[in-house]
Amino acid sequence: MRIGFHVSVGGGLLKALREAQLRRCQTIQVFSAAPSVWKRRTHDDAEDRAFVEGCAAAAISPIFIHAPYLLNLASGDMALWEQSIEVLRHELDAADRWRAEGVVVHLGSAGEDPVEAGMERVVQALNRAREGSCDKARIILENSAGQGNSVGHTLEQIGQIIEQAGADGLGVCIDTAHAFAAGYDLRTVQGLSAMLGQAEEVFGLPMLRLVHLNDSKSTLGSRVDRHEHIGRGQIGREGFRAVLSHPLLAEMPFIMETPKRVKHELEDDLTNLRRVRKLIPIAMRPPLPALPGE
Ligand SMILES: [Zn+2]
Ligand SMILES: [Zn+2]
């Protein structure tokens, strides 16, 4: 089990590495550039190398890149769809430079079209993005909360997409807040086991590469994506105790994307990290780097 955070690269990669170390991250997720603009990063070889070496020295692994929010692989607007594929390829290139395990993507929205049409476009986009590439990084498909006409709010949809696109070079990320909002009841061990059983059935658990560990402000099945501090939302402490003690998730990287107040980012992250650590059964607790004041 490895625990980490999404950290900002706003001040550069080495600042991100320092932020990760302050949070005792054992794994991290970053944006390669601002998530709400199309312009992507211009790489600096020396900076990239220092980041890779720094992560290795701090035993931070695996590294994940989260693709920008603008991407819509399910879009019927062909200009937007093409641009999304191009940016995804760019992100895969960044992932290879940083020896990242993969690029996490939201599958997007089918807009006015039936969801099946959106799913088919996602399959084509994944094929295009992987075409002729020798990328080692995977494209990691994240489940959605199901807002709008978004693709991928059920594991069956993700399973179908993987089956049609071919599993090579793909992976899956389950976000606990999105799953809960989409109707998976993660408040109990039974609910969690049912979801994992379904994951095994529709794409196979080895495809699951990452869990986004977020509590949910919104209620079960609300299809609204609102993250909350661990244990303080609708999933609650018992739900996270179940997630963090489930044998099938014992080897999983967990990345938190929990809320943070401006100027109190570190404090809020460390509060969530302390809560998470307390919810891991003692026998399963990985060797964890000490926190300030411990
Ligand atoms: Zn997420
Ligand atoms: Zn979310």
Side-chain angles (χ1 to χ4, degrees):
M1 182 182 296
R2 305 190 64 77
I3 299 166
F5 285 92
H6 180 97
V7 291
S8 165
V9 287
L13 280 179
L14 298 184
K15 170 95 178 356
L17 174 60
R18 274 198 301 282
E19 293 295 331
Q21 286 176 294
L22 288 171
R23 287 161 176 76
R24 311 300 189 263
C25 285
Q26 299 165 296
T27 172
I28 52 167
Q29 176 179 283
V30 292
F31 291 123
S32 76
S36 49
V37 295
W38 285 108
K39 188 179 178 310
R40 300 326 291 158
R41 176 176 210 91
T42 339
H43 288 280
D44 173 329
D45 286 341
E47 187 190 23
D48 284 351
R49 211 172 316 117
F51 177 65
V52 170
E53 284 165 9
C55 285
I60 297 172
S61 165
I63 298 166
F64 298 95
I65 293 179
H66 199 300
Y69 299 131
L70 298 170
L71 262 66
N72 187 352
L73 303 176
S75 180
D77 171 343
M78 284 302 108
L80 172 60
W81 186 75
E82 290 285 347
Q83 197 167 13
S84 299
I85 295 167
E86 194 188 315
V87 167
L88 181 54
R89 293 190 66 121
H90 198 283
E91 299 293 277
L92 283 166
D93 175 55
D96 276 351
R97 283 170 162 272
W98 300 346
R99 315 256 165 89
E101 156 118 18
V103 175
V104 180
V105 281
H106 298 172
L107 301 182
S109 163
E112 303 290 298
D113 297 335
V115 74
E116 291 73 22
M119 287 167 64
E120 205 174 305
R121 291 194 285 260
V122 171
V123 169
Q124 286 169 24
L126 294 174
N127 291 339
R128 285 270 307 280
R130 289 177 297 173
E131 216 165 70
S133 88
C134 43
D135 291 321
K136 289 173 206 75
R138 291 168 188 274
I139 304 173
I140 301 179
L141 316 176
E142 178 171 358
N143 66 317
S144 73
Q147 68 279 34
N149 195 12
S150 69
V151 175
H153 69 285
T154 67
L155 299 183
E156 284 96 338
Q157 284 182 357
I158 294 178
Q160 262 180 54
I161 287 167
I162 292 173
E163 193 181 319
Q164 282 166 31
D168 232 26
L170 299 182
V172 176
C173 165
I174 292 182
D175 184 306
T176 52
H178 299 176
F180 187 76
Y184 293 94
D185 191 350
L186 302 180
R187 289 172 296 197
T188 63
V189 179
Q190 291 86 330
L192 173 66
S193 292
M195 184 183 77
L196 294 175
Q198 203 180 88
E200 171 63 14
E201 194 182 313
V202 297
F203 48 73
L205 277 173
M207 289 296 283
L208 182 61
R209 312 304 293 194
L210 167 65
V211 168
H212 279 170
L213 197 68
N214 301 309
D215 209 334
S216 174
K217 252 195 189 83
S218 48
T219 53
L220 179 68
S222 61
R223 295 192 163 204
V224 175
D225 179 10
R226 292 272 179 280
H227 298 192
E228 181 55 289
H229 298 290
I230 302 297
R232 295 295 161 96
Q234 298 288 325
I235 299 176
R237 291 180 55 206
E238 289 317 308
F240 284 98
R241 201 192 300 282
V243 170
L244 292 162
S245 55
H246 202 290
L248 291 176
L249 300 176
E251 305 288 320
M252 203 45 63
F254 290 101
I255 296 277
M256 281 178 267
E257 303 165 315
T258 36
K260 28 202 145 194
R261 291 164 299 160
V262 179
K263 306 256 187 242
H264 296 273
E265 293 88 352
L266 178 61
E267 188 189 329
D268 288 352
D269 281 350
L270 290 178
T271 302
N272 278 304
L273 180 56
R274 286 195 185 89
R275 285 190 193 136
V276 163
R277 286 182 174 190
K278 275 197 202 126
L279 292 171
I280 306 172
I282 290 167
M284 286 179 73
R285 271 182 213 173
L288 294 166
L291 281 172
E294 274 178 1

